[in-house]
Amino acid sequence: MSKKFSNTMRIITNGPVELLGDIQIEGHENSSSAYLCRCGLSSNKPYCDGSHTKGGFVAEGEIEAKQSQPLEQEEGPLKVSPRKNGPNIINGNVEILSDSGKHIEQRAKLAMCRCGHSKNKPFCDGAHKEIDFEAEGT
Ligand code: FES
Protein backbone atom coordinates (compact mmCIF):
# COMPACT_ATOMS: atom_id res chain seq x y z
CA MET A 1 0.00 0.00 0.00
CA SER A 2 1.35 3.40 -0.90
CA LYS A 3 2.16 5.89 1.84
CA LYS A 4 0.38 9.14 2.32
CA PHE A 5 2.29 12.08 0.95
CA SER A 6 1.49 15.54 2.22
CA ASN A 7 2.00 17.04 -1.26
CA THR A 8 0.61 15.74 -4.52
CA MET A 9 1.03 16.79 -8.14
CA ARG A 10 -1.64 15.60 -10.57
CA ILE A 11 -0.99 15.79 -14.29
CA ILE A 12 -4.21 16.89 -15.96
CA THR A 13 -4.73 15.67 -19.53
CA ASN A 14 -4.57 18.59 -21.99
CA GLY A 15 -4.41 20.98 -19.05
CA PRO A 16 -2.37 22.23 -16.10
CA VAL A 17 -0.60 20.53 -13.20
CA GLU A 18 -2.61 20.49 -9.99
CA LEU A 19 -0.63 20.89 -6.78
CA LEU A 20 -2.16 20.10 -3.40
CA GLY A 21 -0.40 20.46 -0.05
CA ASP A 22 1.88 23.09 1.43
CA ILE A 23 2.44 25.06 -1.76
CA GLN A 24 5.00 27.88 -1.78
CA ILE A 25 5.36 29.58 -5.16
CA GLU A 26 8.17 32.13 -5.28
CA GLY A 27 6.77 35.66 -5.31
CA HIS A 28 3.24 34.51 -4.49
CA GLU A 29 1.20 33.81 -1.36
CA ASN A 30 1.45 30.33 0.10
CA SER A 31 -1.58 28.17 -0.54
CA SER A 32 -2.95 24.66 -0.17
CA SER A 33 -3.63 24.24 -3.89
CA ALA A 34 -2.50 25.68 -7.21
CA TYR A 35 -2.90 24.96 -10.90
CA LEU A 36 0.34 25.56 -12.78
CA CYS A 37 0.21 26.34 -16.50
CA ARG A 38 2.05 23.79 -18.63
CA CYS A 39 0.86 24.93 -22.07
CA GLY A 40 2.80 28.21 -22.14
CA LEU A 41 -0.28 30.23 -23.09
CA SER A 42 -1.55 31.56 -19.76
CA SER A 43 -1.62 35.33 -19.27
CA ASN A 44 -1.28 34.70 -15.53
CA LYS A 45 1.85 32.52 -15.38
CA PRO A 46 2.85 30.51 -13.45
CA TYR A 47 -0.87 29.85 -12.91
CA CYS A 48 -3.28 28.34 -15.43
CA ASP A 49 -5.91 30.78 -16.67
CA GLY A 50 -7.80 28.33 -18.88
CA SER A 51 -6.03 29.35 -22.11
CA HIS A 52 -5.04 25.73 -22.78
CA THR A 53 -8.59 25.03 -23.97
CA LYS A 54 -8.69 27.84 -26.52
CA GLY A 55 -5.11 27.09 -27.54
CA GLY A 56 -5.89 23.42 -28.24
CA PHE A 57 -3.14 22.19 -25.92
CA VAL A 58 -2.68 18.42 -26.20
CA ALA A 59 -0.72 16.56 -23.52
CA GLU A 60 -1.21 13.19 -21.91
CA GLY A 61 -2.14 13.02 -18.23
CA GLU A 62 -2.07 9.25 -17.94
CA ILE A 63 1.69 8.90 -18.02
CA GLU A 64 3.47 5.67 -17.18
CA ALA A 65 4.36 4.82 -13.61
CA LYS A 66 8.10 4.79 -12.88
CA GLN A 67 10.27 3.03 -10.39
CA SER A 68 11.41 5.60 -7.86
CA GLN A 69 13.28 5.45 -4.60
CA PRO A 70 11.45 5.98 -1.33
CA LEU A 71 11.96 9.52 -0.06
CA GLU A 72 13.63 10.22 3.27
CA GLN A 73 10.59 12.28 4.21
CA GLU A 74 7.12 12.55 2.79
CA GLU A 75 6.19 15.88 4.32
CA GLY A 76 7.32 19.48 4.23
CA PRO A 77 6.69 22.42 1.94
CA LEU A 78 6.61 22.17 -1.82
CA LYS A 79 8.57 25.09 -3.23
CA VAL A 80 8.00 26.21 -6.80
CA SER A 81 10.55 28.47 -8.50
CA PRO A 82 9.49 29.59 -11.97
CA ARG A 83 12.69 30.10 -13.97
CA LYS A 84 12.88 33.08 -16.31
CA ASN A 85 11.96 31.81 -19.80
CA GLY A 86 12.26 28.27 -18.47
CA PRO A 87 10.64 25.51 -16.42
CA ASN A 88 9.11 25.42 -12.95
CA ILE A 89 11.74 24.06 -10.60
CA ILE A 90 10.06 22.17 -7.79
CA ASN A 91 11.78 21.33 -4.53
CA GLY A 92 10.05 19.31 -1.85
CA ASN A 93 8.62 15.88 -1.30
CA VAL A 94 5.79 15.16 -3.69
CA GLU A 95 3.84 12.23 -5.06
CA ILE A 96 3.14 12.52 -8.79
CA LEU A 97 -0.26 11.26 -9.87
CA SER A 98 -1.81 10.64 -13.25
CA ASP A 99 -4.96 12.53 -14.21
CA SER A 100 -7.06 9.66 -12.85
CA GLY A 101 -5.11 9.59 -9.57
CA LYS A 102 -2.77 6.65 -10.30
CA HIS A 103 0.61 6.74 -8.50
CA ILE A 104 3.38 7.59 -10.98
CA GLU A 105 6.39 8.21 -8.74
CA GLN A 106 7.65 10.21 -5.78
CA ARG A 107 10.30 12.90 -6.11
CA ALA A 108 12.06 15.57 -4.08
CA LYS A 109 13.23 17.71 -7.02
CA LEU A 110 11.76 18.26 -10.46
CA ALA A 111 11.91 20.52 -13.51
CA MET A 112 8.41 20.77 -14.96
CA CYS A 113 7.75 21.97 -18.50
CA ARG A 114 5.75 25.18 -18.69
CA CYS A 115 6.38 26.17 -22.32
CA GLY A 116 4.20 23.35 -23.69
CA HIS A 117 6.84 22.04 -26.11
CA SER A 118 8.77 19.39 -24.18
CA LYS A 119 8.81 15.97 -25.81
CA ASN A 120 9.02 14.53 -22.31
CA LYS A 121 5.94 16.22 -20.79
CA PRO A 122 5.20 16.92 -18.03
CA PHE A 123 8.95 17.23 -17.47
CA CYS A 124 11.29 19.81 -18.99
CA ASP A 125 13.58 18.66 -21.80
CA GLY A 126 15.09 22.06 -22.66
CA ALA A 127 12.65 22.77 -25.52
CA HIS A 128 11.93 26.24 -24.08
CA LYS A 129 15.30 27.37 -25.49
CA GLU A 130 14.45 26.23 -29.01
CA ILE A 131 11.12 28.07 -29.09
CA ASP A 132 12.38 31.24 -27.35
CA PHE A 133 9.81 30.82 -24.59
CA GLU A 134 9.28 34.03 -22.61
CA ALA A 135 7.99 34.11 -19.05
CA GLU A 136 8.76 35.93 -15.84
CA GLY A 137 10.90 34.16 -13.28
CA THR A 138 14.19 34.14 -11.47
S1 FES B 1 -2.26 24.89 -18.81
FE1 FES B 1 -4.00 26.15 -18.53
S2 FES B 1 -3.41 28.06 -19.40
FE2 FES B 1 -1.67 26.78 -19.68
Side-chain angles (χ1 to χ4, degrees):
M1 185 166 148
S2 69
K3 292 183 182 169
K4 179 93 178 89
F5 286 79
S6 57
N7 302 308
T8 58
M9 171 189 293
R10 187 167 66 93
I11 313 303
I12 298 176
T13 299
N14 304 335
V17 167
E18 175 195 60
L19 301 180
L20 296 176
D22 182 1
I23 313 303
Q24 301 183 3
I25 302 177
E26 221 169 80
H28 299 268
E29 293 221 341
N30 296 347
S31 61
S32 57
S33 71
Y35 289 86
L36 297 181
C37 173
R38 67 181 186 118
C39 73
L41 303 173
S42 174
S43 300
N44 188 31
K45 296 181 187 73
Y47 300 103
C48 168
D49 71 353
S51 298
H52 56 270
T53 304
K54 201 169 157 195
F57 180 59
V58 176
E60 189 52 69
E62 294 302 325
I63 60 174
E64 275 188 36
K66 295 182 181 174
Q67 285 286 342
S68 51
Q69 297 299 316
L71 300 177
E72 283 179 23
Q73 285 189 355
E74 292 166 355
E75 297 175 343
L78 194 63
K79 298 185 177 184
V80 180
S81 303
R83 290 286 182 250
K84 186 172 172 61
N85 306 332
N88 284 315
I89 302 298
I90 301 196
N91 282 293
N93 302 311
V94 64
E95 178 182 24
I96 303 175
L97 303 171
S98 74
D99 194 357
S100 64
K102 207 174 55 189
H103 175 86
I104 302 299
E105 61 177 319
Q106 60 267 353
R107 296 279 289 270
K109 188 171 175 78
L110 288 160
M112 303 299 293
C113 174
R114 65 177 184 134
C115 74
H117 288 261
S118 172
K119 290 188 173 59
N120 189 32
K121 294 184 195 68
F123 310 108
C124 173
D125 72 351
H128 54 275
K129 291 179 201 144
E130 289 155 30
I131 63 153
D132 294 326
F133 178 62
E134 290 186 5
E136 294 294 316
T138 55

